[in-house]
Amino acid sequence: MADPTAVDALTVLGLQAQLRGEFTRADRIFSYSTALSRRELRPQIWAIERAVAQGDVSGAIRHYDIALRTSNSAAKDLFPTLIAALSEPRIRAELLQILATRPAWGDKFVRYAADNEINPEGVVALFHEGQQTGLDVSEDERSLLVNALISQGKFESAWEFYQSYRPGAQRNSSRDPNFVLQANRPAAFEWRVGDDARLGAAILRQGEGGLLDFSVPPSTAGLLVRQMLLLPAGIYRLEGRSRGLEQPQSSRPYWTLICSDGRELGRLPVPNSDERAGRFAGQFTIGKGCKAQTLSLIARASDDIMGVSGQILQVRLVPLQSGQGKQK
């Protein structure tokens, strides 16, 4: 085995040669260093850079693999660069061959790629092509990637990828009216409860379906649940059913539809559950130029010592006019 101090010394000499502009000498030093040891990160980075400069995609990916297998600190430096390069088909092809060998860093890379906004469309291509090589991508990671695309305003790409693993999803209406889906990390196109733990909102299983349960302490308001939509311009009907809600009119929760540009398209207060057997309905109008919307249930503050509690058993937003055709 090579003397670690010798490898360290060669790394220093190689860096010094680079700083002096002696690139040929630096190449010789780093080449010798990688021959002595595969565990030193800087020579592996040099090998990656040299392979890239020579157009050797296979060699570059091979040295990525070596560096990531042998250095605990390599991921934070190499993952972003590797993800940024995923727009290149040759790089994806070579990388998928490495990932098919189940390297120790593979799962971490897939998670990192899905959960960052470096190059989400390149990651989509990697995940699609990875289906042919057995790439293991969890539902949570797919949802994270959908959300990364949406955060960059790439709504069409996000929807296309979402439909690739939720083939029955409908675009011309809200989805999952009975809160059936129980996802650990839901995509923005699915029901997502708010982040404020004080509001006590949760999607719970009930028989073969589900429900939204909420319990809000006194004098507290905020988001209970939301779902992103990509509805075309038109008139829509919101309809649903509640249980256990009993509040004065001023503190009843309400549904709101917000355009992605910040415009509020309307509100619909939820009546008490003893009215019309808990059923509620109303209309929203979406004008032209509003490509994406968010349907949300908002809790209003109550002075009642018990706060606000109840359940939404069903809710859906559908086109009011039958002339609006269905979209993928």
Side-chain angles (χ1 to χ4, degrees), residues 127-195:
F127 286 3
H128 278 320
E129 293 163 11
Q131 293 176 357
Q132 307 301 319
T133 63
L135 181 66
D136 186 15
V137 182
S138 70
E139 186 172 293
D140 285 359
E141 288 157 350
R142 297 181 193 278
S143 295
L144 288 169
L145 183 51
V146 168
N147 296 341
L149 286 162
I150 287 173
S151 69
Q152 294 188 359
K154 299 174 180 178
F155 302 131
E156 296 302 324
S157 295
W159 178 257
E160 182 179 349
F161 180 64
Y162 179 70
Q163 268 206 321
S164 72
Y165 69 96
R166 291 268 193 265
Q170 295 295 313
R171 179 167 171 168
N172 73 323
S173 65
S174 63
R175 291 162 291 280
D176 193 19
N178 299 310
F179 302 99
V180 173
L181 184 62
Q182 304 283 320
N184 293 322
R185 298 290 296 267
F189 295 128
E190 299 163 346
W191 291 118
R192 297 190 295 169
V193 298
D195 298 326

Side-chain angles (χ1 to χ4, degrees), residues 55-261:
D56 181 6
V57 174
S58 179
I61 298 300
R62 184 174 66 254
H63 284 290
Y64 267 107
D65 180 35
I66 293 170
L68 290 166
R69 286 177 188 268
T70 57
S71 172
N72 293 328
S73 62
K76 66 181 179 64
D77 297 320
L78 298 184
F79 277 1
T81 305
L82 191 54
I83 293 168
L86 290 178
S87 299
E88 171 56 53
R90 291 187 304 162
I91 290 176
R92 295 197 302 270
E94 294 289 346
L95 178 58
L96 285 171
Q97 289 187 34
I98 296 294
L99 291 174
T101 67
R102 308 294 185 191
W105 54 271
D107 290 344
K108 184 178 179 182
F109 174 79
V110 169
R111 183 74 173 194
Y112 188 97
D115 199 19
N116 286 269
E117 300 177 14
I118 299 170
N119 182 12
E121 289 176 313
V123 179
V124 167
L126 181 76
F127 286 3
H128 278 320
E129 293 163 11
Q131 293 176 357
Q132 307 301 319
T133 63
L135 181 66
D136 186 15
V137 182
S138 70
E139 186 172 293
D140 285 359
E141 288 157 350
R142 297 181 193 278
S143 295
L144 288 169
L145 183 51
V146 168
N147 296 341
L149 286 162
I150 287 173
S151 69
Q152 294 188 359
K154 299 174 180 178
F155 302 131
E156 296 302 324
S157 295
W159 178 257
E160 182 179 349
F161 180 64
Y162 179 70
Q163 268 206 321
S164 72
Y165 69 96
R166 291 268 193 265
Q170 295 295 313
R171 179 167 171 168
N172 73 323
S173 65
S174 63
R175 291 162 291 280
D176 193 19
N178 299 310
F179 302 99
V180 173
L181 184 62
Q182 304 283 320
N184 293 322
R185 298 290 296 267
F189 295 128
E190 299 163 346
W191 291 118
R192 297 190 295 169
V193 298
D195 298 326
D196 190 342
R198 297 176 304 162
L199 301 182
I203 294 175
L204 305 177
R205 178 72 66 185
Q206 178 179 258
E208 296 183 357
L211 55 82
L212 172 69
D213 183 87
F214 57 90
S215 179
V216 182
S219 305
T220 305
L223 173 69
L224 295 172
V225 72
R226 68 192 185 279
Q227 183 182 118
M228 188 172 188
L229 309 170
L230 299 176
L231 302 175
I235 302 174
Y236 293 82
R237 175 180 173 84
L238 181 74
E239 53 192 23
R241 186 162 59 94
S242 72
R243 182 171 66 191
L245 178 65
E246 184 178 350
Q247 284 291 315
Q249 187 172 356
S250 61
S251 56
R252 295 170 188 169
Y254 63 90
W255 290 97
T256 181
L257 190 65
I258 305 291
C259 183
S260 57
D261 63 11

Side-chain angles (χ1 to χ4, degrees), residues 257-275:
L257 190 65
I258 305 291
C259 183
S260 57
D261 63 11
R263 288 178 290 150
E264 185 175 53
L265 304 177
R267 294 187 180 188
L268 176 65
V270 180
N272 284 340
S273 300
D274 60 1
E275 301 177 24

Side-chain angles (χ1 to χ4, degrees), residues 14-56:
L15 290 171
Q16 290 175 340
Q18 281 187 328
L19 291 173
R20 290 194 297 267
E22 300 172 355
F23 300 114
T24 301
R25 183 168 183 267
D27 282 356
R28 288 200 305 268
I29 293 171
F30 280 131
S31 181
Y32 183 47
S33 178
T34 55
L36 285 178
S37 173
R38 294 159 56 126
R39 304 192 66 84
E40 183 66 27
L41 179 58
R42 187 62 190 87
Q44 293 301 330
I45 292 177
W46 164 83
I48 292 169
E49 294 171 347
R50 186 184 187 197
V52 170
Q54 295 175 344
D56 181 6

